[in-house]
């Protein structure tokens, strides 16, 4: 079964390389073609357009920035939905609002194909190693068809409801994590006069109820930034965090719920982006706050 990957940015490329490593035939398409070259060298075929990708593959994964990118890739000229797609399965994995996945599912059904959503928890490393956490929305029969592919990419797959439910859970699980980066920066500002080296201090946080699981995985990188180093390669940047927070706030407005902390966190990250931090890794945010904090 040939698997297509539309969007070979950081996450899409990592997932495609995982599928190649597991010896699946893979075809890729990316808007900026050069970014797919490393995958071609690793054994992937490349499609010239999304339409060609959809026609060549039985299952197509998409991993794209946002709703606009999904719209362009699926519904644009030579888009995925212009391909020969009848009977095929799409697995949409981007982080977007539930209504985006629901509208896309209707468009895909209208072409005689099926769609499940599977936004993921975990970044580039887990994607390369098949250790993502998938939050799946879709019809049970379609999810069952997708399962062999999802199991190659995810350490855990949770089918949480129909299309849209996965997006809701994904936005929800990201919220405390994204607010936490700012909370950690503010917390560390209370320790400025404490004479403990950053690696030890972060290790203390990580071993308490004040530390999320992320600190166990990314704590060393955060400590290094506190010692003046820059996180490289960037896996989850500040601009992507701002996109996620904006998406959460749009969803909250549509649901009529208030999210004051989330709104404040977005303001902080917008300020970081204005200071030139948009393309920096999320792990640099606490150090950024300590150096640029405002009264
Ligand atoms: N990075 C993470 O740790 C992480 C973790 C979990 C989930 N996610 C989610 O996964 C998705 C992808 O993230 P990423 O880190 O892989 O981002 P990325 O490296 O910036 O890649 C984004 C991809 O979307 C494509 N794209 C953007 N706008 C497009 C358009 N108008 N038409 C066609 N293609 C377009 C890009 O193509 P070009 O190369 O041509 O720009 C690229 O392939 C996002 O929804 C993100 O929130 C990310």
């Amino acid at each position: 079964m040939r698997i297509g990957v539309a969007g070979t940015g950081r996450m899409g490329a990592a997932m495609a390389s995982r599928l190649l490593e597991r010896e699946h035939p893979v075809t890729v398409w990316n808007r900026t073609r050069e970014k797919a070259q490393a995958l071609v060298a690793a054994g992937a075929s490349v499609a010239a357009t999304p339409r060609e990708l959809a026609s060549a593959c039985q299952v197509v994964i998409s991993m794209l920035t946002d709703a606009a990118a999904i719209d362009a890739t699926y519904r644009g000229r030579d888009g995925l939905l212009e391909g020969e797609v009848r009977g095929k399965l799409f697995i949409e994995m981007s982080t977007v609002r539930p209504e985006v996945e629901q509208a896309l599912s209707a468009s895909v059904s209208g072409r005689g194909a099926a769609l499940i959503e599977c936004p993921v928890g975990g970044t580039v490393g887990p994607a390369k190693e098949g250790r993502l956490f998938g939050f799946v929305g879709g019809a049970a029969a379609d999810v069952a068809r997708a399962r062999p592919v999802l199991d190659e990419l995810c350490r855990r797959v949770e089918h949480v409801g129909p299309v849209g439910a996965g997006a809701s859970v994904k936005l929800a699980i990201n919220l405390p994590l994204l607010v936490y980066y700012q909370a950690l920066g503010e917390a560390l500002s209370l320790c400025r006069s404490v004479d403990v080296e950053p690696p030890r201090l972060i290790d203390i946080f990580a071993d308490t109820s004040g530390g999320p699981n992320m600190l166990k995985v990314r704590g060393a990188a955060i400590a290094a930034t506190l010692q003046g180093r820059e996180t490289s390669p960037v896996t989850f940047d500040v601009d992507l965090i701002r996109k996620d927070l904006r998406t959460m706030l749009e969803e909250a407005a549509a649901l009529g719920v208030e999210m004051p902390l989330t709104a404040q966190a977005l303001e902080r990250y917008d300020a970081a982006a204005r200071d030139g931090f948009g393309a920096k890794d999320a792990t640099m945010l606490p150090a950024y706050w300590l150096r640029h904090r405002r009264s």
Side-chain angles (χ1 to χ4, degrees):
M1 180 177 70
R2 181 162 287 275
I3 304 171
V5 178
T8 58
R10 286 167 298 215
M11 290 297 283
M15 295 192 304
S17 86
R18 164 75 181 169
L19 293 169
L20 286 167
E21 199 182 290
R22 301 288 294 168
E23 298 185 346
H24 293 280
V26 174
T27 301
V28 296
W29 171 84
N30 198 55
R31 178 181 63 173
T32 310
R33 194 173 171 141
E34 307 82 74
K35 284 199 205 163
Q37 282 318 308
L39 291 164
V40 173
S45 304
V46 68
T49 61
R51 173 190 182 140
E52 193 181 300
L53 182 79
S55 299
C57 301
Q58 284 71 53
V59 174
V60 177
I61 292 170
S62 52
M63 190 49 146
L64 301 155
T65 309
D66 55 14
I70 288 177
D71 194 44
T73 303
Y74 278 83
R75 302 188 184 94
R77 193 158 153 257
D78 286 328
L80 290 169
L81 294 180
E82 286 193 2
E84 293 152 27
V85 298
R86 187 157 290 280
K88 294 186 175 174
L89 179 67
F90 290 86
I91 305 177
E92 212 305 298
M93 302 183 78
S94 320
T95 302
V96 290
R97 286 182 60 192
E99 64 175 26
V100 174
E101 302 289 14
Q102 287 158 348
L104 184 62
S105 174
S107 301
V108 168
S109 299
R111 300 280 292 120
L115 177 138
I116 68 153
E117 59 173 347
C118 183
V120 292
T123 183
V124 173
K128 278 189 185 150
E129 293 158 12
R131 289 192 302 103
L132 295 167
F133 192 142
F135 309 103
V136 176
D142 299 329
V143 176
R145 276 172 76 196
R147 195 71 205 215
V149 176
L150 299 181
D151 285 342
E152 294 286 32
L153 300 172
C154 301
R155 68 177 169 83
R156 179 168 173 179
V157 173
E158 283 288 340
H159 183 196
V160 291
V163 172
S168 296
V169 173
K170 166 62 188 173
L171 290 174
I173 64 117
N174 256 25
L175 190 156
L177 171 65
L178 303 189
V179 171
Y180 183 79
Y181 281 110
Q182 175 68 18
L184 181 62
E186 293 182 23
L188 290 171
S189 61
L190 296 178
C191 299
R192 289 179 79 84
S193 59
V194 176
D195 190 18
V196 171
E197 282 296 295
R200 195 170 144 219
L201 194 55
I202 294 296
D203 185 54
I204 292 170
F205 268 80
D207 196 25
T208 67
S209 307
N213 192 51
M214 177 276 290
L215 274 190
K216 296 189 176 66
V217 187
R218 306 287 280 157
I222 292 173
T225 68
L226 296 171
Q227 293 174 308
R229 289 202 283 280
E230 181 134 343
T231 304
S232 176
V234 173
T235 57
F236 186 35
D237 65 45
V238 172
D239 283 342
L240 215 48
I241 288 184
R242 293 166 64 221
K243 183 271 297 184
D244 279 5
L245 290 169
R246 281 196 304 270
T247 310
M248 289 164 198
L249 289 167
E250 285 162 15
E251 186 63 10
L255 294 172
V257 298
E258 282 187 58
M259 300 207 308
L261 270 179
T262 310
Q264 287 244 338
L266 176 58
E267 280 176 26
R268 297 318 336 150
Y269 298 150
D270 284 347
R274 285 196 295 276
D275 284 341
F277 255 68
K280 305 275 189 201
D281 196 74
T283 50
M284 298 196 65
L285 280 165
Y288 159 80
W289 180 249
L290 289 177
R291 282 189 209 116
H292 295 75
R293 72 191 193 288
R294 289 150 179 78
S295 54

